[in-house]
Amino acid sequence: MKITRIFAHRVELPLREGNYKWSGGKSVTVFDSTIVGVETDTGVVGYGEVCPLGPFYLPAYAEGVRAGLRELGPHLLGFDPRELAKLNHRMDAALKGHPYVKSGIDIACWDILGQATGLPVCVLMGGRFGEQVRLYRAISQESPEAMAKKVAGYRAEGYTRFQLKVGGDPDTDIERIHAVRAMLLPGDRLVADANTGWTQHEAMRVVRAVRNVDVYIEQPCLTYEECLAVRRHTDHPFVLDENVDGLDMLLRAKADLAMDVVNLKISKLGGLTKIKQARDLCVSMGIAMTLEDSWGGDITTAAIAHLAHSTPEEFRFTSTDFNSYVTVSTAEGAPQRHNGFMRASDSSGLGIKPKMDVLGKPVVVVA
Ligand code: MG
């Protein structure tokens, strides 16, 4: 089997809530997503998706995905998409860095491997653990009262895991954490995710002020060293995210006892092959994970479902269903949330079929 054509569609994904706000006044109203197709000489076509959280979150941006595909694509024509380690080796040799550019191609090749073998991606990634995957809801940054109201609403829809977007004014963030925790019941989990937004002294004030609140603290500061300093001064369960972009940082953070949970995102690591390596290492090291991506629609949500479902349940902290945050559906067969859970498809590959009328004409074609 050989890759004969790589193409990409640009899709706008407006947010159901109108916008999404997080640390430092960052905000998005319409996500710019790239759906990547990999076509083979057998007629099998696989799909992946890459959707950065704007250009100001991780070192990734939507137009960069498309530019990167034009650069990298010609190096992959003629390669067997089922040979995923070899394909990733080729991608890393042809283009240094830019993991998010490679992510969509890698996901599409897992979809092809699944279709070619008749197996769901979660089975190929290690097996299906449990019946379903528990979801969290990210709560956009608003006033403490508005965020508490949102949490109550999403709780009524079945979610029991909530990730509050903090990382703003520390005094307001302290109120946000108290107001939301007051809405929750025993068994619910609350994460205060500052997305690098606090300076070290601000983070120290916040963790002190919420000392008696049952809350996880996620990526309080910009640098790893600042996060480590905060971590060493609090007994809240601690999550690292933005700083952990590969195995080097994962091993360093484990050695420093710098986290209790790590947030792994598919495009931050560079695709399902690379995140599987990190995921399996975390399982071996006993570290629980939030398994997700930066953002996306139906295809990203399908990829997250297969990744999470193939992870032992005790190491799955949370995942999320991005396709329920946006108003546009780009594929049939994507996981749908039921009472705060989703499950990976039983069909072969990712189990999705893109809606070509929604995708329109490709904006990148490499053949
Ligand atoms: Mg995070």
Side-chain angles (χ1 to χ4, degrees):
M1 187 185 277
K2 286 189 172 70
I3 296 175
T4 51
R5 190 167 169 262
I6 295 171
F7 56 95
H9 299 264
R10 179 181 180 276
V11 186
E12 293 197 341
L13 302 174
L15 281 155
R16 214 172 272 284
E17 285 189 5
N19 57 39
Y20 181 74
K21 296 181 208 150
W22 70 103
S23 76
K26 293 190 274 293
S27 160
V28 170
T29 52
V30 180
F31 281 99
D32 180 344
S33 191
T34 302
I35 292 179
V36 183
V38 174
E39 207 172 297
T40 64
D41 58 350
T42 63
V44 175
V45 185
Y47 287 92
E49 180 175 9
V50 185
C51 184
L53 191 63
F56 33 59
Y57 174 61
L58 290 170
Y61 68 106
E63 199 53 56
V65 180
R66 272 97 65 174
L69 291 170
R70 290 185 194 101
E71 179 68 35
L72 182 59
H75 297 277
L76 307 176
L77 297 176
F79 268 70
D80 188 332
R82 300 167 302 179
E83 297 184 334
L84 284 150
K86 201 170 154 184
L87 182 94
N88 273 272
H89 188 257
R90 177 67 181 155
M91 289 200 285
D92 289 341
L95 179 68
K96 291 286 175 196
H98 300 279
Y100 69 108
V101 168
K102 299 163 186 171
S103 188
I105 295 173
D106 180 74
I107 296 168
C109 291
W110 277 92
D111 188 26
I112 291 171
L113 179 64
Q115 293 179 54
T117 54
L119 293 170
V121 168
C122 65
V123 172
L124 293 168
M125 290 187 76
R128 188 186 293 273
F129 287 89
E131 286 306 306
Q132 51 189 1
V133 172
R134 192 192 293 270
L135 298 166
Y136 81 82
R137 189 78 190 187
I139 306 297
S140 177
Q141 193 174 105
E142 293 180 69
S143 69
E145 303 71 36
M147 290 175 87
K149 204 173 155 205
K150 284 270 166 63
V151 165
Y154 286 120
R155 203 182 180 288
E157 291 182 24
Y159 287 102
T160 54
R161 304 286 183 263
F162 303 94
Q163 191 197 69
L164 289 193
K165 291 293 146 188
V166 289
D169 170 64
D171 292 312
T172 314
D173 284 336
I174 292 163
E175 284 179 46
R176 288 179 171 118
I177 294 167
H178 282 290
V180 169
R181 186 67 239 188
M183 309 293 305
L184 299 181
L185 294 177
D188 295 347
R189 297 279 182 277
L190 179 63
V191 179
D193 187 357
N195 289 106
T196 75
W198 293 321
T199 54
Q200 192 175 312
H201 69 99
E202 290 173 334
M204 295 288 191
R205 281 192 62 236
V206 175
V207 295
R208 223 180 128 81
V210 300
R211 180 174 281 164
N212 296 318
V213 180
D214 180 5
V215 60
Y216 290 64
I217 302 295
E218 180 162 338
Q219 188 78 36
C221 304
L222 185 61
T223 69
Y224 173 74
E225 289 74 15
E226 290 165 321
C227 288
L228 186 57
V230 176
R231 153 74 165 177
R232 287 178 173 160
H233 286 86
T234 173
D235 59 3
H236 287 291
F238 206 85
V239 188
L240 283 178
D241 180 350
E242 282 86 343
N243 292 142
V244 182
D245 55 2
L247 297 182
D248 282 359
M249 282 306 299
L250 194 56
L251 289 168
R252 186 175 167 199
K254 166 66 178 171
D256 291 341
L257 306 177
M259 63 196 177
D260 303 293
V261 175
V262 65
N263 184 316
L264 300 177
K265 296 180 163 71
I266 299 171
S267 59
K268 181 177 70 173
L269 276 290
L272 286 173
T273 302
K274 295 272 172 75
I275 203 170
K276 179 183 184 301
Q277 200 180 13
R279 185 274 309 267
D280 292 343
L281 183 60
C282 282
V283 170
S284 299
M285 297 192 302
I287 299 170
M289 292 158 275
T290 289
L291 294 164
E292 59 166 349
D293 209 331
S294 45
W295 205 274
D298 281 325
I299 299 175
T300 292
T301 303
I304 292 169
H306 285 282
L307 169 68
H309 223 146
S310 60
T311 304
E313 289 174 276
E314 63 271 35
F315 294 109
R316 294 199 306 241
F317 180 57
T318 51
S319 290
T320 201
D321 55 325
F322 286 116
N323 61 349
S324 79
Y325 292 63
V326 298
T327 60
V328 171
S329 167
T330 53
E332 309 283 354
Q336 301 301 319
R337 167 168 44 94
H338 293 292
N339 205 22
F341 291 86
M342 67 176 173
R343 74 188 308 278
S345 170
D346 293 303
S347 303
S348 65
L350 292 175
I352 53 93
K353 192 168 176 289
K355 297 177 178 172
M356 300 316 290
D357 56 324
V358 175
L359 302 193
K361 282 194 165 60
V363 294
V364 176
V365 178
V366 177

